[in-house]
Amino acid sequence: MRSNNLKKKKMKKRKIIGIILLVLILGASAYVYSIYHSLTKAVNTMHNPVDRKSSREKEIRFKDKDPISILMLGVDERKGDRGRSDTMIVLTVNPTVKSVQMLSIPRDTRVEIVGKGTEDKINHAYAFGGVAMSMNTVEKFLDIPVDYYIKVNMEGFEDIVNAVGGVTVNNTLDFSYGGYHFPKGEVNLDGKKALAFVRMRKEDPRGDFGRNDRQRQVIQGVISKGASVSALTKYNDVFETLGKNVETNLTFDEMMSIQKYYKDARHKIEQFQLKGQGTKIGGIYYYIVPQDEKQKAHNRLKQHLEL
């Protein structure tokens, strides 16, 4: 009799544990579905195809791990004004050698604006013809195919930083800007401070190059915080903010393929810069990149793209 009671208690205990596990699994599944649903909604909002044809001869096959190129644009875009691309970064991603090449193009670089028929500052391409003209201009300037773009509205940049709970950077230059002071060393930034931190340029002895370094730190901080477990509790805010402030021609399926086949490349990011000098032409300041320097950048990126 006692043995039967013990068996019944054990069975009841197992049943309770089974019910608890089932509830947890269902709860977790609902949570994962909720994240997936929010992500797909955000990506669909971000997705914006661009009407242009890349110079790439063969179609990209993600399963074959074909290297790809991405143009990142940081745009100051206010209501009623298209604005200019304050930041232009070319990324080539090679999953086979597991690395990313990152080239920052100074916004004052004098180039041929493709589709406009004039030479001007490269950041004016966006003001003249939006994303398509920017991609075409960068493609001709570097003589490599530009496959994808990611555009971030800098006016909403502070919302993105706030959505992940702020970021921490290692500041190498003591300066004040936008009502904030940024001492050397480790600095914690909320959205407003982060925007001021990446916008300062004139007080930096390295100009655009110094600002690009600060932008990279903040972007890496956002990616790091966004990928952390703590960010999962804020995923709705994160996805909603990205949907409002980020635009790309990458589809949801393409993003998933990049995550699946290219993710290891993010562990090795190699940065380099275009060497040149500033000068005035017709009273306007330009950054002039010599032909041999352009050729070096072309060779490096072309080799990384395995073209």
Side-chain angles (χ1 to χ4, degrees):
M1 190 76 178
R2 187 177 177 184
S3 177
N4 288 336
N5 287 336
L6 284 172
K7 285 182 181 179
K8 286 181 180 179
K9 284 181 180 180
K10 284 181 180 180
M11 288 178 66
K12 188 175 181 181
K13 187 176 180 182
R14 286 173 185 169
K15 188 176 179 181
I16 291 171
I17 292 172
I19 291 171
I20 292 172
L21 285 173
L22 180 61
V23 170
L24 287 174
I25 290 168
L26 290 174
S29 299
Y31 184 62
V32 169
Y33 172 77
S34 182
I35 293 177
Y36 180 82
H37 178 72
S38 296
L39 175 60
T40 52
K41 183 180 177 182
V43 172
N44 289 335
T45 303
M46 290 188 287
H47 181 61
N48 191 10
V50 59
D51 186 17
R52 67 178 290 272
K53 186 177 180 181
S54 168
S55 63
R56 184 179 286 274
E57 295 178 359
K58 295 181 180 179
E59 184 180 348
I60 294 169
R61 293 177 62 88
F62 293 107
K63 286 185 179 179
D64 293 342
K65 296 187 175 182
D66 291 338
I68 60 173
S69 62
I70 302 170
L71 174 63
M72 292 185 66
L73 298 167
V75 179
D76 264 323
E77 203 166 35
R78 297 172 177 85
K79 192 174 182 180
D81 177 24
R82 176 182 276 169
R84 290 179 173 83
S85 51
D86 225 24
T87 303
M88 299 184 84
I89 299 174
V90 176
L91 302 172
T92 56
V93 187
N94 187 319
T96 304
V97 297
K98 298 179 181 180
S99 69
V100 175
Q101 294 288 322
M102 178 185 287
L103 172 65
S104 297
I105 305 176
R107 66 178 193 170
D108 294 326
T109 303
R110 186 177 171 88
V111 301
E112 177 189 341
I113 306 296
V114 176
K116 190 71 175 174
T118 59
E119 289 199 343
D120 207 330
K121 297 183 179 186
I122 196 166
N123 72 324
H124 287 187
Y126 183 80
F128 293 143
V131 170
M133 191 171 284
S134 295
M135 294 177 79
N136 290 337
T137 297
V138 170
E139 189 170 89
K140 180 160 188 178
F141 175 63
L142 295 173
D143 192 21
I144 61 165
V146 177
D147 304 310
Y148 302 104
Y149 80 92
I150 298 174
K151 185 184 80 172
V152 179
N153 180 11
M154 298 306 288
E155 284 296 298
F157 191 68
E158 64 178 87
D159 294 333
I160 295 174
V161 173
N162 284 334
V164 298
V167 296
T168 301
V169 297
N170 184 27
N171 185 29
T172 59
L173 178 69
D174 188 295
F175 69 94
S176 295
Y177 185 81
Y180 300 104
H181 176 240
F182 302 97
K184 282 186 178 181
E186 196 173 88
V187 181
N188 297 315
L189 305 173
D190 61 13
K192 288 186 181 298
K193 287 182 180 178
L195 192 58
F197 184 74
V198 301
R199 274 186 164 163
M200 191 281 286
R201 180 172 68 120
K202 292 184 178 179
E203 293 179 33
D204 194 319
R206 294 193 299 154
D208 266 338
F209 296 118
R211 185 173 64 169
N212 288 338
D213 281 345
R214 291 193 299 279
Q215 289 171 343
R216 175 188 54 79
Q217 278 206 64
V218 173
I219 289 170
Q220 287 184 335
V222 168
I223 293 171
S224 178
K225 288 292 287 290
S228 68
V229 174
S230 62
L232 288 177
T233 59
K234 307 171 185 174
Y235 72 88
N236 267 325
D237 292 339
V238 174
F239 292 155
E240 184 179 351
T241 303
L242 288 175
K244 288 179 180 177
N245 297 294
V246 177
E247 184 181 298
T248 181
N249 60 335
L250 284 163
T251 65
F252 180 79
D253 288 342
E254 286 170 336
M255 288 185 188
M256 293 300 100
S257 293
I258 290 173
Q259 160 64 19
K260 183 177 181 179
Y261 300 111
Y262 294 65
K263 62 182 179 182
D264 289 338
R266 74 184 190 276
H267 297 302
K268 186 180 180 183
I269 300 177
E270 300 175 351
Q271 300 177 67
F272 67 107
Q273 300 171 340
L274 289 168
K275 295 179 182 178
Q277 62 180 32
T279 188
K280 283 192 175 183
I281 300 175
I284 299 173
Y285 176 85
Y286 293 98
Y287 188 74
I288 306 299
V289 179
Q291 182 58 39
D292 63 334
E293 185 66 20
K294 279 199 298 181
Q295 190 63 43
K296 285 179 186 177
H298 161 76
N299 292 343
R300 183 167 174 173
L301 295 175
K302 184 178 180 181
Q303 182 180 12
H304 198 241
L305 287 170
E306 299 178 4
L307 297 173

